[in-house]
Amino acid sequence: MKKYVPEPFRIKMVEPIKMTTREEREEALKKAHYNMFNVKANMVYIDCLTDSGTNAMSDDQWSGVMKGDEAYAGGESYFKLLEAGRDIFDYEFIQPVHQGRAAEKVVFPILLGEGKYAISNMFFDTTRAHVELAGARAIDCVVEEAKDPSKIAPFKGNMDVEKMERLINELGPENVGLIVMTITNNSAGGQPVSIENLKQVYEVAKKYNILVDIDAARFAENAYFIKMREEKYKDASIEEIIKECFKYADMFTMSAKKDAILNIGGLIGVKEDAEFFQLVKGNCISYEGFVTYGGLSGRDLEAMAIGLYEGINEDYLAYRIGQMEYLASQLDDAGIPYQKPVGGHGIFLDAKAILPNIPYYEFPAQSLAVELYREAGIRSTDIGSYMLGNDPDTGEQIESEFEFTRLAIPRRVYTQAHLDVIAEAVKNVKERADEIKGLKIKWEPPVLRHFQAHLEPIE
Ligand code: F0G
């Protein structure tokens, strides 16, 4: 088993969590229509639904909250954030927004519309939704090795560059409005993208005059993996690696609820195109609020400016990625399949392999999530066919390439013992895998259905 990397912090404030009985959890599942988003948080013991906005802020960030400048226009916290953004990413223009999907909503309609395509190593679900809401189509183009959870490779989040170039030619370069590089690649398991790959993608994009956006939700975790795994950068600092990554894009859209260690926030960066940034500001004022607050309060801007630096601290990142590796090594010892090597923000259990009796249209990853909650009050989420939903053209259920049950780990929140509880629950559930039944949909909304749909067990 891998050693746990000790926390580079101590605990100053605690938040009690409830211990529940199996009967209480069974009742909670029924009430929630077997949708983990409908389970009340106070009925969850360890909440691994997401690492987004569930992070613990530092004493520095909380004191920043007290100092937040709440001026409608030109507040000091805005300028502090601007400075942090410019310093870390080396981009000229920085625009706060209230979260990641707000950045997508502001930026994507400028570049995409009917008949257009966007290509990504992999779109996260809201990112895909905003491409489609803009009238365009979203195409994933991740490297083949990402699709084999048992295959160990250093950069399973990469774009398949040859396939991407073929696609551009097939679709017509004038129809490809945007390339999105998601770092780390969340949907593929929090898998990193190499600088070499970012560079190759950017070169092809420039050849065809297509803009590149970095979906930067987990840019710091990605930079740490680059330092560990990309030979050329092993002696570079995290700060240097981040600047190098962002050289190979024209803009970024970021959910700051992840690597900036916040509870709310988002960011847009534009490298140098002032005309384009003017359009961004226009949409931001319409959808989010005036440029100098972007849908956030001054205290949020202040906490973001501080969190951006805490999130790129190398000792913190060693502890953060160390937590994932510790949990993964326990699963290795028990022979439990997951997307290997472990990603940056959680374990993606290979539900297809753990529950081989459940076909994709009965949602194996969602069924496993339900079972983990039943077993130990652990909340996880489906990243598979259930999340993917139906084809927008035919209405048919799409078969996902993966059926992952994601256990996302919030930042600076859970201890080594919590991770042990998770490992034990997964082992217990795997032992009774052949008793576990699939699920069917009773009701679903037209977009992003997994947040709201009602399910029931198949008897
Ligand atoms: N891009 C990526 C790669 C994401 O993982 C997310 C959110 C977003 C964009 C949207 O950001 O939530 O701030 O609007 N991911 C969360 C998750 C929800 O659980 O993985 P948001």
Side-chain angles (χ1 to χ4, degrees):
M1 194 164 64
K2 229 178 138 118
K3 252 178 101 171
Y4 188 83
V5 179
E7 285 81 0
F9 53 83
R10 59 185 173 186
I11 296 167
K12 178 154 16 192
M13 192 189 283
V14 294
E15 180 185 1
I17 41 180
K18 188 161 148 184
M19 319 291 278
T20 53
T21 64
R22 206 179 181 85
E23 290 70 39
E24 286 172 326
R25 295 196 291 274
E26 199 58 62
E27 193 50 39
L29 278 172
K30 273 197 202 119
K31 267 198 202 147
H33 300 284
Y34 300 88
N35 182 331
M36 302 317 297
F37 290 93
N38 289 337
V39 175
K40 277 191 163 173
N42 68 3
M43 291 301 290
V44 175
Y45 177 51
I46 302 176
D47 205 343
C48 299
L49 186 70
T50 179
D51 60 320
S52 180
T54 52
N55 308 300
M57 294 211 297
S58 66
D59 53 353
D60 246 5
Q61 285 175 295
W62 280 111
S63 19
V65 164
M66 296 304 294
K67 287 189 170 171
D69 182 345
E70 303 302 343
Y72 189 95
E76 237 180 276
S77 305
Y78 165 75
F79 290 106
K80 185 166 171 181
L81 177 63
L82 218 61
E83 213 173 288
R86 284 183 179 150
D87 175 38
I88 292 170
F89 302 104
D90 228 355
Y91 275 28
E92 188 153 351
F93 305 107
I94 298 288
Q95 175 60 58
V97 287
H98 86 274
Q99 63 180 84
R101 69 201 68 182
E104 295 151 15
K105 183 174 160 52
V106 164
V107 170
F108 289 4
I110 303 173
L111 303 164
L112 300 170
E114 291 296 332
K116 293 273 185 193
Y117 295 86
I119 303 173
S120 178
N121 52 340
M122 280 189 97
F123 287 99
F124 180 65
D125 53 354
T126 64
T127 320
R128 172 180 296 279
H130 277 291
V131 169
E132 288 169 3
L133 286 167
R137 285 283 174 266
I139 305 175
D140 287 340
C141 196
V142 72
V143 287
E144 279 305 307
E145 60 204 19
K147 297 173 189 171
D148 176 359
S150 64
K151 173 148 191 203
I152 304 218
F155 291 104
K156 282 170 93 170
N158 279 355
M159 178 83 90
D160 183 334
V161 184
E162 266 176 45
K163 189 172 158 196
M164 179 189 85
E165 187 161 9
R166 257 199 326 275
L167 257 169
I168 292 172
N169 283 305
E170 276 165 31
L171 300 167
E174 68 286 2
N175 297 321
V176 181
L178 190 63
I179 291 170
V180 179
M181 291 299 281
T182 310
I183 66 170
T184 58
N185 186 329
N186 181 5
S187 308
Q191 295 294 318
V193 174
S194 68
I195 288 181
E196 183 58 28
N197 191 251
L198 284 165
K199 195 169 166 182
Q200 285 172 357
V201 167
Y202 196 59
E203 278 163 11
V204 174
K206 288 305 107 180
K207 181 165 141 194
Y208 295 99
N209 212 9
I210 301 168
L211 292 171
V212 176
D213 171 47
I214 291 183
D215 178 341
R218 300 179 181 83
F219 73 101
E221 288 163 7
N222 198 73
Y224 187 77
F225 280 122
I226 287 169
K227 185 167 170 74
M228 293 299 120
R229 296 180 186 174
E230 197 165 354
E231 180 60 26
K232 202 170 152 194
Y233 300 97
K234 69 178 196 304
D235 297 321
S237 68
I238 297 293
E239 287 83 351
E240 287 163 346
I241 290 172
I242 291 167
K243 286 195 176 73
E244 185 67 16
C245 287
F246 282 79
K247 255 171 50 188
Y248 305 113
D250 303 291
M251 68 196 84
F252 68 79
T253 44
M254 182 205 273
S255 167
K257 298 171 70 175
K258 285 85 169 169
D259 277 0
I261 327 189
L262 293 175
N263 305 122
I264 193 73
L267 215 55
I268 297 168
V270 174
K271 194 156 67 183
E272 56 204 2
D273 186 341
E275 225 169 285
F276 179 74
F277 189 63
Q278 195 51 46
L279 300 173
V280 168
K281 284 199 287 190
N283 277 356
C284 185
I285 293 169
S286 310
Y287 297 136
E288 288 290 282
F290 186 61
V291 174
T292 65
Y293 72 90
L296 292 168
S297 58
R299 64 184 82 105
D300 299 320
L301 302 175
E302 191 80 24
M304 197 194 309
I306 299 166
L308 278 167
Y309 285 108
E310 291 183 4
I312 63 174
N313 175 282
E314 196 174 328
D315 290 337
Y316 155 74
L317 285 167
Y319 144 79
R320 167 77 179 152
I321 305 300
Q323 271 204 326
M324 306 307 141
E325 289 176 346
Y326 172 79
L327 181 53
S329 78
Q330 294 208 40
L331 301 185
D332 287 337
D333 294 348
I336 288 163
Y338 62 91
Q339 173 69 299
K340 287 183 187 178
V342 68
H345 65 293
I347 296 268
F348 287 59
L349 296 170
D350 182 359
K352 214 190 261 191
I354 296 173
L355 302 174
N357 302 332
I358 303 181
Y360 74 92
Y361 50 83
E362 292 177 6
F363 314 128
Q366 178 66 12
S367 307
L368 184 56
V370 164
E371 212 53 40
L372 283 170
Y373 177 73
R374 190 176 268 136
E375 172 73 22
I378 295 164
R379 176 152 71 168
S380 54
T381 185
D382 174 293
I383 307 262
S385 299
Y386 172 58
M387 181 184 94
L388 209 51
N390 301 317
D391 185 302
D393 295 321
T394 67
E396 294 277 308
Q397 171 65 50
I398 309 169
E399 179 174 3
S400 174
E401 314 222 45
F402 318 111
E403 299 294 346
F404 289 138
T405 302
R406 185 183 76 171
L407 288 154
I409 309 294
R411 293 167 186 76
R412 306 191 292 209
V413 170
Y414 292 117
T415 64
Q416 182 173 13
H418 287 121
L419 300 187
D420 292 343
V421 171
I422 296 172
E424 196 177 315
V426 176
K427 285 182 227 167
N428 291 346
V429 166
K430 174 147 187 288
E431 270 164 28
R432 52 183 169 79
D434 42 353
E435 296 163 21
I436 297 168
K437 299 277 194 303
L439 296 160
K440 65 174 180 230
I441 291 192
K442 274 201 305 191
W443 170 81
E444 61 184 316
V447 267
L448 295 174
R449 70 148 180 227
H450 62 292
F451 291 118
Q452 297 188 70
H454 293 175
L455 297 141
E456 66 186 356
I458 296 170
E459 292 311 331

